[in-house]
Amino acid sequence: MDITPVKDIDWESPGNRLYHVPFTYDGEWARVRVPVSVICGHRPGKTLVAIGGTHGDEYEGPIGCKKLVAELEPERLSGRVIVIPVLNVPAFQADQRESPLDGGNMNRAFPGDANGTITSRIAHFVTHEVLSRADIVVDIHAAGTSMEIMRAASFHQIDDPELFRAHVETAFAFGMPFALVYTGGMGTGLLSEEAEKMGKITIGGEFGYGASADLEGVRWAYEGLKNVMKLHGLMPGELERLLPERFKRQVLAANTDIDRYITAPISGIAEPLAPIGAFVNKGDPVVCIHDFDDITNPGVIIQADRDGYVACRKFRARTRQGDVVMVIAEEIPNPLAEGEGLQ
């Protein structure tokens, strides 16, 4: 549990090392310790970075990453794996999305600032010391307490066909029912956007919701990371099928147009009329907003604006006018040949 200054981290030698990197509290004689595992194999290869706990109330990533660190053996590894099971330690300890020390949302803090608040300083360390060393970056999320999002490995729109194909193949390796191409328009300073700027294969994902620890989500995080390692040659063996039997195939879907996110026309209580991941047709009723100031009012029915899959829904029922209550994603062409991925 001793702290290790950044300058003393051994990023290269074969072995499995756990560091606790210190970041001093602003205005206090205390330090946040961010756990960083560096597992270097006995043979050359790619570098995978896996991160959990970017938001403090999302738990599938921390559990999956912790289990992975305990299992990896440098003797069987080609390349290097850098794992940060809990990135935003203050938020994680407080069981909340943002850090209680500075109110910082770690996934809006990149590339960070060495002279900024503690959230920004941690982001700066990740950008310059961790992401810079990566070939593949995986940032594992869950939907927190406000939304429920389809279980999907996700990434932003990529114009280069070969790089797009590599992202789809890596996303499908998690064995989740969906791979989702999504927009960055809901925020700036994302960890994934910073890694993308560096040209890394960058996968995010929604592995659960509700500040719980989803059974399948933990498995997708833990076993899915091992599949990604196998896919990119860091670990020997065949990819394991992780797609549950109730799903016939994996679907590649997209919604990159923020103007087509469905928002509430009035404030009230949102009742979902279609479950997450369900296929809906344009015109189908998908949400009802109830106004309980007028108990006789049947509510405002919102219809699907396109054919597609319910990618996101409001989880907390109380809704303000303008809140996103549902996102529908359309299936898009899959660049992988038939039989590739974990269909």
Side-chain angles (χ1 to χ4, degrees):
M1 293 294 289
D2 289 342
I3 61 171
T4 303
V6 174
K7 64 182 178 62
D8 293 335
I9 296 175
D10 181 355
W11 300 103
E12 306 295 338
S13 300
N16 188 333
R17 296 173 290 279
L18 172 62
Y19 300 105
H20 290 88
V21 182
F23 297 89
T24 302
Y25 286 32
D26 295 313
E28 294 188 35
W29 284 36
R31 289 180 136 186
V32 170
R33 300 169 181 235
V34 176
V36 179
S37 285
V38 180
I39 306 100
C40 295
H42 288 209
R43 295 171 296 280
K46 297 178 180 179
T47 294
L48 168 72
V49 168
I51 297 175
T54 302
H55 291 135
D57 60 352
E58 301 172 4
Y59 301 105
E60 290 81 3
I63 296 171
C65 286
K66 180 175 180 286
K67 290 166 66 106
L68 181 70
V69 167
E71 179 175 330
L72 291 182
E73 299 174 355
E75 297 79 10
R76 300 185 67 245
L77 189 66
S78 298
R80 173 175 56 189
V81 181
I82 302 172
V83 184
I84 304 178
V86 178
L87 179 57
N88 196 339
V89 171
F92 185 82
Q93 291 173 339
D95 190 31
Q96 63 187 45
R97 182 178 174 88
E98 293 88 8
S99 170
L101 299 181
D102 60 3
N105 180 340
M106 185 66 73
N107 209 32
R108 300 294 185 272
F110 284 83
D113 181 352
N115 298 311
T117 66
I118 194 163
T119 299
S120 188
R121 293 199 303 273
I122 295 172
H124 182 271
F125 160 74
V126 172
T127 298
H128 294 278
E129 298 291 342
V130 180
L131 300 184
S132 63
R133 291 178 161 88
D135 296 296
I136 307 109
V137 175
V138 179
D139 184 25
I140 300 175
H141 284 264
T145 57
S146 63
M147 307 295 291
E148 182 184 7
I149 303 177
M150 63 168 46
R151 309 307 184 269
S154 58
F155 54 93
H156 292 123
Q157 180 60 49
I158 298 159
D159 294 328
D160 179 84
E162 286 303 312
L163 190 56
F164 180 77
R165 188 185 190 282
H167 276 73
V168 174
E169 190 175 28
T170 304
F172 272 8
F174 281 93
M176 303 173 80
F178 295 93
L180 180 65
V181 183
Y182 70 107
T183 180
M186 294 300 285
T188 58
L190 277 66
L191 187 158
S192 57
E193 287 184 335
E194 197 61 34
E196 288 163 1
K197 291 176 188 175
M198 298 178 180
K200 318 298 183 181
I201 294 174
T202 307
I203 303 297
E206 305 295 343
F207 288 67
Y209 72 102
S212 181
D214 184 78
L215 178 66
E216 290 180 330
V218 169
R219 182 168 183 251
W220 283 320
Y222 167 55
E223 299 287 356
L225 283 171
K226 291 197 291 183
N227 268 357
V228 171
M229 292 175 64
K230 293 172 184 176
L231 175 68
H232 289 280
L234 284 88
M235 177 185 286
E238 297 294 322
L239 274 65
E240 182 177 350
R241 178 186 169 89
L242 301 176
L243 183 67
E245 293 298 328
R246 65 183 182 278
F247 296 101
K248 296 180 180 179
R249 63 188 179 98
Q250 291 176 289
V251 173
L252 178 63
N255 187 335
T256 58
D257 184 357
I258 194 171
D259 291 330
R260 296 191 71 175
Y261 284 19
I262 299 171
T263 56
I266 64 169
S267 298
I269 303 299
E271 175 196 5
L273 303 179
I276 200 76
F279 184 84
V280 295
N281 293 294
K282 182 177 180 179
D284 286 350
V286 290
V287 179
C288 179
I289 307 293
H290 293 279
D291 176 7
F292 279 86
D293 290 333
D294 179 2
I295 205 74
T296 64
N297 189 318
V300 175
I301 299 294
I302 299 173
Q303 298 174 323
D305 67 338
R306 63 174 84 183
D307 294 351
Y309 293 89
V310 177
C312 178
R313 73 169 183 94
K314 189 84 163 54
F315 178 58
R316 293 183 66 89
R318 187 160 298 280
T319 300
R320 302 167 302 179
Q321 183 186 53
D323 282 352
V324 173
V325 292
M326 189 159 286
V327 177
I328 296 172
E330 296 174 301
E331 186 167 5
I332 61 174
N334 182 352
L336 303 183
E338 186 176 353
E340 290 189 83
L342 301 177
Q343 302 291 323

